[in-house]
Amino acid sequence: MKIRSGGQFVFAVIFVLVGIMLLLVNLGIISVEINEAIYFLFPFVIAILGLKLLIESIFSKSRRGSWFWGLILTALGSLLIVDRFGYIDFDIQDIWKLWPILIVYIGLKMLWGRGSIHFKHEKWGKAKGKRSNVGNLVTDVSMKDDNWQVEPIEEWNGVADYDFDFTKAFIPDKDTPINLSGWVGDIKIFIPEDVEFAVTSNTKVGSIKIGNYKKDGMMKNSTYKSEGYESATRKITFDFSFKVLDLRINRV
């Protein structure tokens, strides 16, 4: 059985829960108004979606799930459910109180190196020129389309998940700068063996793995250059500046 993802999954869960609620009403087992039913049920939808993201992030080979949003939604849905049963006072507007989950997420990322952050999803295609973006609080950017155009990038995001696959990209015969900055960065990169690159990172704490090069914990400035970077004409220069950084670069 194939489990749907994204909006299809959410709407499927809503239909199932609302259908069960209406069935119980029609059978006279319970008596509620529709608005009361929706108010009572939507925390269960949130919690189930969060659990789905967590399970997928742990067991899915394609890593479709998200540790970060799985934790957030599971915690939010669970607290709202407890509120519905009258044990605590918690409303959707209190979501800001869940910010310590970010610390939990960072710790889990450093332990297992899995998961992603999903809120706003963007893809970079074949547009020419320099991509510049400032001000997204949470973003998920994926560059994995066939023959996507590599171009200069300068981007700031608060909490960001970047997934670059340069093995599928068209890389011009020049030095292409990619500058990413923000608060928390989760960056995964696949780069061909015949493309040279350099990395400069400025971060407070994090985990960096580039081939056999590894660095973890408290750090400030780190630099790395592939063997043929200085003499290459076709190369990529990465510059990362995050308070917390989880960086993985693999040569393919």
Side-chain angles (χ1 to χ4, degrees):
M1 181 176 65
K2 182 178 179 181
I3 298 178
R4 301 293 181 181
S5 61
Q8 287 182 319
F9 177 82
V10 174
F11 281 110
V13 172
I14 291 173
F15 274 107
V16 170
L17 293 178
V18 171
I20 293 173
M21 178 71 74
L22 292 175
L23 179 61
L24 295 176
V25 170
N26 287 341
L27 294 176
I29 298 174
I30 61 175
S31 177
V32 295
E33 298 293 335
I34 292 298
N35 59 340
E36 294 176 347
I38 294 174
Y39 176 77
F40 182 81
L41 288 175
F42 90 86
F44 291 89
V45 177
I46 295 173
I48 291 171
L49 179 58
L51 288 172
K52 175 179 181 290
L53 293 175
L54 282 176
I55 292 171
E56 284 184 340
S57 69
I58 297 172
F59 298 107
S60 173
K61 293 182 179 180
S62 60
R63 299 188 180 185
R64 290 170 50 195
S66 167
W67 267 109
F68 182 79
W69 285 108
L71 288 170
I72 288 288
L73 294 177
T74 302
L76 176 61
S78 300
L79 289 169
L80 289 172
I81 290 170
V82 175
D83 170 80
R84 297 300 184 265
F85 286 99
Y87 292 105
I88 64 172
D89 291 326
F90 188 89
D91 203 351
I92 194 72
Q93 64 189 17
D94 297 320
I95 190 173
W96 66 270
K97 295 179 181 179
L98 302 182
W99 68 264
I101 290 179
L102 178 60
I103 299 175
V104 176
Y105 165 75
I106 294 168
L108 292 173
K109 288 292 295 181
M110 295 178 69
L111 286 172
W112 288 292
R114 298 199 64 177
S116 57
I117 303 172
H118 299 284
F119 181 72
K120 180 178 180 181
H121 181 77
E122 301 178 5
K123 286 189 177 181
W124 296 337
K126 301 180 179 179
K128 296 182 179 180
K130 180 178 181 181
R131 175 184 171 86
S132 180
N133 186 40
V134 177
N136 290 321
L137 180 60
V138 181
T139 190
D140 175 5
V141 182
S142 175
M143 289 78 73
K144 299 165 64 174
D145 291 342
D146 291 335
N147 204 36
W148 64 274
Q149 176 75 40
V150 178
E151 58 190 35
I153 302 164
E154 183 173 354
E155 181 153 321
W156 181 99
N157 289 292
V159 180
D161 184 345
Y162 294 98
D163 193 352
F164 295 87
D165 190 345
F166 289 99
T167 65
K168 298 181 178 180
F170 173 77
I171 305 173
D173 189 19
K174 63 179 181 178
D175 183 4
T176 304
I178 295 181
N179 303 321
L180 305 176
S181 60
W183 299 326
V184 179
D186 179 7
I187 304 172
K188 298 178 288 293
I189 298 172
F190 290 94
I191 194 164
E193 289 283 355
D194 60 346
V195 176
E196 306 300 331
F197 68 96
V199 177
T200 300
S201 66
N202 184 354
T203 183
K204 301 291 185 182
V205 62
S207 175
I208 297 175
K209 185 177 185 299
I210 306 172
N212 295 324
Y213 175 82
K214 297 180 181 179
K215 193 171 183 180
D216 296 283
M218 304 296 293
M219 62 183 74
K220 191 173 182 181
N221 296 320
S222 299
T223 59
Y224 176 91
K225 290 182 180 179
S226 61
E227 186 175 351
Y229 173 80
E230 294 294 348
S231 59
T233 57
R234 189 174 71 141
K235 55 189 177 183
I236 303 174
T237 303
F238 298 101
D239 189 340
F240 304 127
S241 180
F242 291 90
K243 302 297 183 183
V244 180
L245 175 65
D246 185 357
L247 173 65
R248 298 289 183 272
I249 300 180
N250 296 308
R251 300 296 289 268
V252 179

